[in-house]
Amino acid sequence: MGIVVLTMKASVIEMFLVLLVTGIHSNKEMTKIKRPKFNVPQINCDVKAGKIINPEFVVKCPAGCQDPKYHVYGTDVYASYSSVCAAAVHSGVLDNSGGKILVRKVAGQSGYTGSYSNGVQSLSLPRWRESFIISEGKPPKGVTYPSALTYSSPKSQAAKAGETTKAYQKPSVPGTTAEPVTLMQAPGTTLVKATHTTLPKPSLSAGSTTSSPRLQPVGHRSWDLDLWSTITSSQNSPRGNSGETDLWKLGSVLLDAGFVPKEELSTQPLEPISQGDPNCKVDLSFLIDGSASIGKRRFRIQKQFLADIAQALDIGPAGPLMGVVQYSDNPATQFNLKTHMNSQDLKAAIEKITQRGGLSNVGRAISFVTKNFFSKANGNRGSAPNVAVVMVDGWPTDKVEEASRVARESGINIFFITIEGAVENEKQYVMESNFANKAVCRTNGFYSLSVQSWFSLHKIVQPLVKRVCDTERLACSKTCFNSADIGFVIDGSSSVGTGNFRTVLQFVANLSKEFEISDTDTRIGAVQYTYEQRLEFGFDAYSTKPDILNAIKSVGYWSGGTSTGAAISFALEQLFKKSKPNKRKLMILITDGRSYDDIRIPAMAAHHKGVITYAIGVAWAAQDELDIIASYPAKDHAFFVDEFDHLYKSVPKVIQNICTEFNSRPRN
């Protein structure tokens, strides 16, 4: 008997050891399992932003959302009643093939403007309770987004057609008497006959399954079920028992839908939403001083000044747009160009700005604006001049000259407002003397304003508005990349040969790629010559970069002699005579040999007519002729390479010299 017991105990111990080893092995296997990657939630084209509760999220859109059946309301800033993915296509962040996007909810706007963009026609909307903006779906480092979205409560069944339309009655609050309010549809929509009834206050018990009665218009026009779902979700909100304020949200939904109380219909006509002043179409960034030295009182004066500017500018999608960057130790964007589309919303946002404190690092702020602020994702329109207005209390705590130079060369018109600048005995503390003149676009007084006291700041509202709206005088909008008519004069003589001629055309294309090409920016033309001359295409032939590159590629090799002097004269007559008065005229001549005719008189004529000439010589080209053809000084305008295959090496140097010459012009 004792032996049997020992045998059983041994078996139990053996089983225990087997289980223990198995468990350890399993734990080791579990530790090898990698943490799951972030799964981007996918949505359909018809999902509206208002149905997603998350304030900020990344989603993946399918292909085909360009279809007009998916409605979009607004431009850049979209009403949450819009299809998320269709809005992404309209904004240009996605194309019709779909992809990932980052969506951020923002405040509702008092008006949304429709537009046609990227194959999607968005619609206008008078107002809506919530908006959203879209950017590329690459999350910032260290930021995580939900793998699953939270949606608002499912839509309950719609009221059947033909059902009696019911008047909305304000839900009763204990201790008060509910007064029915008759709702009438706003002008321009079908009138709905209503009968009085009361919407019962929704039950908040978790187990309740009773759905609230719905309003349903009768007649030919029916409401979108999503709108009724919004009303229901407002009633069923967990905050519904917090008092009258939430209950009245129902009324605001009805107002958004085009319904107003009868008594307001005759006494409060809807005001048209301003699209902005079309005579002041600028993209404007205010860099405001948030340093500790400014103090709370002066910071409030600064905010009031911004609000006055916003009111005077008449903000809107067809006029000026305005964003704000606050600087201290480091700069931070308060809101960008597309966040607020009217003066009223902009003023409300300005009021909410809080002071950061710290130093007055203005140079760092200007660099930040140059690199980050004026981007398409932040609402930069491209067709509007970029303007940065820098407000400084006293003087900066860093240097501004270099940062401002880069900003100007990027096409940003810098204005400086110096308030309570350094007096004589304080100038020893200023890090960079005469900093405002080193920063602004021109030193003629147009771009800088000095205010003796913060209490006098309001006096410059109108002068500043007048200046930033004077787009003809915003000289820094023009850069070396967007302000020229460039005529290529190409040697097509027999000595070049077919293969080398294609290499020359590639060189011409590589140079052209560097410029911003359009009817109003840089324009490109080309002439080919041998003994004779041929206009390949003029400045007004093509207005997009792809079209220009295709035109260059299509130029056929001619073959013949080398009459460079006659080619210069031909280019002056056939190309540059048709150049626009406000354009810089650049001639880039490429040749591989000595000319058969005189080049001195044609070259002098080009210089006399203000045509800046660059001469590019290859192989057997004569250096003395290149120096004569080139503008002064020849060392900056004449280039020589020994082989056609080395032409590409001179592209960066030619571009650099073109821009250096442009940026070295006097700024006063």
Side-chain angles (χ1 to χ4, degrees):
M1 187 68 179
I3 294 172
V4 173
V5 171
L6 287 172
T7 303
M8 289 177 66
K9 285 182 178 179
S11 299
V12 170
I13 291 170
E14 187 177 294
M15 289 175 64
F16 174 75
L17 290 173
V18 170
L19 289 172
L20 182 62
V21 171
T22 304
I24 292 170
H25 180 72
S26 298
N27 285 335
K28 287 182 178 178
E29 290 297 319
M30 289 176 68
T31 58
K32 292 179 183 178
I33 299 174
K34 293 182 179 180
R35 297 178 68 179
K37 292 183 178 179
F38 166 60
N39 293 319
V40 178
Q42 298 190 18
I43 59 173
N44 294 327
C45 296
D46 60 353
V47 173
K48 299 175 181 178
K51 291 299 169 187
I52 300 172
I53 293 175
N54 308 73
E56 192 168 344
F57 53 90
V58 173
V59 292
K60 185 174 183 181
C61 292
C65 296
Q66 201 177 48
D67 195 305
K69 69 182 179 181
Y70 306 119
H71 293 168
V72 178
Y73 299 88
T75 300
D76 294 328
V77 179
Y78 302 98
S80 62
Y81 196 52
S82 307
S83 158
V84 173
C85 296
V89 177
H90 181 272
S91 70
V93 174
L94 291 185
D95 56 26
N96 200 37
S97 61
K100 291 190 292 185
I101 56 171
L102 173 59
V103 180
R104 181 163 63 89
K105 301 282 189 73
V106 295
Q109 307 283 307
S110 58
Y112 299 84
T113 304
S115 64
Y116 182 82
S117 180
N118 302 306
V120 175
Q121 177 65 58
S122 69
L123 307 173
S124 296
L125 194 66
R127 59 190 170 200
W128 199 250
R129 62 189 174 276
E130 183 185 58
S131 311
F132 66 100
I133 56 177
I134 294 171
S135 55
E136 293 180 0
K138 187 177 180 181
K141 289 184 178 180
V143 179
T144 57
Y145 293 97
S147 297
L149 301 175
T150 306
Y151 291 84
S152 57
S153 54
K155 295 179 282 188
S156 54
Q157 218 171 7
K160 295 179 180 178
E163 212 174 278
T164 305
T165 305
K166 299 174 182 179
Y168 168 67
Q169 184 174 2
K170 182 180 173 183
S172 59
V173 178
T176 65
T177 304
E179 292 292 333
V181 179
T182 303
L183 295 174
M184 297 186 66
Q185 206 161 4
T189 58
T190 307
L191 188 64
V192 179
K193 186 176 180 180
T195 61
H196 294 274
T197 188
T198 301
L199 288 176
K201 188 173 182 178
S203 170
L204 297 176
S205 60
S208 174
T209 58
T210 305
S211 61
S212 303
R214 292 181 178 234
L215 305 172
Q216 179 65 40
V218 295
H220 297 291
R221 184 175 175 183
S222 62
W223 268 20
D224 193 304
L225 298 183
D226 285 340
L227 189 57
W228 295 114
S229 165
T230 305
I231 296 175
T232 304
S233 64
S234 296
Q235 286 184 292
N236 292 330
S237 169
R239 297 185 297 165
N241 59 353
S242 62
E244 254 181 63
T245 305
D246 286 342
L247 296 173
W248 268 112
K249 287 183 180 176
L250 239 170
S252 67
V253 172
L254 291 166
L255 289 173
D256 284 336
F259 284 83
V260 293
K262 182 177 181 180
E263 60 272 18
E264 291 185 13
L265 195 59
S266 58
T267 59
Q268 297 185 8
L270 292 175
E271 294 182 4
I273 300 298
S274 173
Q275 298 301 302
D277 181 2
N279 296 316
C280 182
K281 189 175 181 182
V282 294
D283 289 342
L284 178 62
S285 170
F286 266 85
L287 283 69
I288 64 171
D289 193 337
S291 63
S293 63
I294 193 175
K296 292 183 179 179
R297 186 179 184 186
R298 287 179 290 185
F299 190 78
R300 285 196 300 270
I301 295 173
Q302 184 176 221
K303 291 204 302 180
Q304 183 57 53
F305 174 74
L306 288 188
D308 293 343
I309 291 287
Q311 184 64 44
L313 279 173
D314 187 14
I315 300 296
L321 295 179
M322 177 174 157
V324 173
V325 171
Q326 182 181 173
Y327 68 86
S328 52
D329 292 336
N330 293 297
T333 301
Q334 301 295 310
F335 43 84
N336 62 32
L337 293 166
K338 67 181 183 181
T339 309
H340 303 290
M341 289 289 166
N342 59 68
S343 295
Q344 182 181 350
D345 293 340
L346 185 58
K347 287 166 66 179
I350 290 168
E351 179 58 33
K352 296 176 182 177
I353 297 175
T354 56
Q355 186 178 359
R356 293 168 61 85
L359 300 174
S360 300
N361 288 333
V362 177
R364 186 175 294 179
I366 293 172
S367 295
F368 173 83
V369 167
T370 304
K371 294 175 183 176
N372 302 292
F373 188 86
F374 291 108
S375 66
K376 185 178 179 181
N378 286 333
N380 185 36
R381 290 171 287 187
S383 59
N386 294 158
V387 178
V389 179
V390 185
M391 301 184 67
V392 181
D393 173 47
W395 55 86
T397 53
D398 65 349
K399 293 186 177 182
V400 303
E401 184 174 13
E402 179 61 21
S404 300
R405 181 190 65 78
V406 175
R408 293 194 305 268
E409 291 177 5
S410 301
I412 300 172
N413 295 275
I414 298 182
F415 287 77
F416 249 69
I417 301 175
T418 307
I419 308 102
E420 299 181 5
V423 295
E424 197 60 39
N425 63 346
E426 293 175 324
K427 289 182 179 178
Q428 59 181 316
Y429 304 114
V430 179
M431 180 175 290
E432 189 175 29
S433 62
N434 204 23
F435 61 86
N437 277 344
K438 292 177 180 177
V440 295
C441 187
R442 293 287 186 272
T443 56
N444 55 8
F446 180 78
Y447 290 89
S448 55
L449 293 137
S450 180
V451 183
Q452 298 303 313
S453 167
W454 278 96
F455 301 106
S456 302
L457 189 59
H458 65 280
K459 295 179 181 179
I460 68 165
V461 169
Q462 290 303 327
L464 180 62
V465 167
K466 186 177 180 181
R467 294 185 192 193
V468 299
C469 291
D470 190 354
T471 55
E472 292 299 318
R473 294 188 66 182
L474 296 180
C476 280
S477 297
K478 292 300 178 184
T479 72
C480 59
F481 297 110
N482 67 6
S483 59
D485 280 343
I486 302 176
F488 288 96
V489 181
I490 306 168
D491 185 347
S493 61
S494 302
S495 58
V496 175
T498 304
N500 288 334
F501 187 76
R502 306 318 300 176
T503 303
V504 171
L505 292 183
Q506 185 60 55
F507 170 74
V508 172
N510 289 343
L511 281 172
S512 300
K513 285 178 187 176
E514 298 295 324
F515 294 90
E516 298 170 25
I517 295 172
S518 77
D519 285 332
T520 57
D521 294 312
T522 291
R523 304 187 303 169
I524 305 289
V527 166
Q528 184 183 175
Y529 73 94
T530 57
Y531 283 126
E532 300 177 279
Q533 307 83 36
R534 182 169 72 193
L535 179 65
E536 299 294 353
F537 52 89
F539 292 134
D540 56 355
Y542 305 103
S543 59
T544 68
K545 191 174 292 187
D547 287 344
I548 285 292
L549 297 179
N550 284 332
I552 293 168
K553 185 179 179 181
S554 301
V555 172
Y557 176 49
W558 205 356
S559 186
T562 310
S563 295
T564 305
I568 294 172
S569 298
F570 180 86
L572 293 177
E573 185 66 26
Q574 297 299 320
L575 266 182
F576 292 101
K577 195 172 183 179
K578 300 175 183 178
S579 183
K580 292 183 178 180
N582 62 337
K583 296 285 188 182
R584 286 190 312 139
K585 302 172 182 64
L586 301 180
M587 180 190 298
I588 301 177
L589 184 144
I590 306 107
T591 183
D592 80 327
R594 185 174 288 278
S595 177
Y596 293 171
D597 65 351
D598 177 64
I599 50 94
R600 292 179 181 274
I601 294 176
M604 288 176 62
H607 303 160
H608 180 72
K609 291 179 179 180
V611 178
I612 302 167
T613 307
Y614 289 83
I616 317 293
V618 190
W620 303 280
Q623 185 67 54
D624 61 322
E625 286 192 349
L626 298 178
D627 291 344
I628 293 169
I629 294 168
S631 293
Y632 180 83
K635 65 182 181 65
D636 295 331
H637 297 85
F639 300 86
F640 179 83
V641 294
D642 54 358
E643 295 181 19
F644 283 95
D645 288 343
H646 294 165
L647 266 173
Y648 75 93
K649 295 180 180 179
S650 61
V651 170
K653 186 62 177 175
V654 173
I655 295 296
Q656 179 184 338
N657 285 15
I658 288 173
C659 287
T660 299
E661 182 175 53
F662 177 88
N663 295 321
S664 64
R665 296 177 305 168
R667 290 197 294 119
N668 50 7

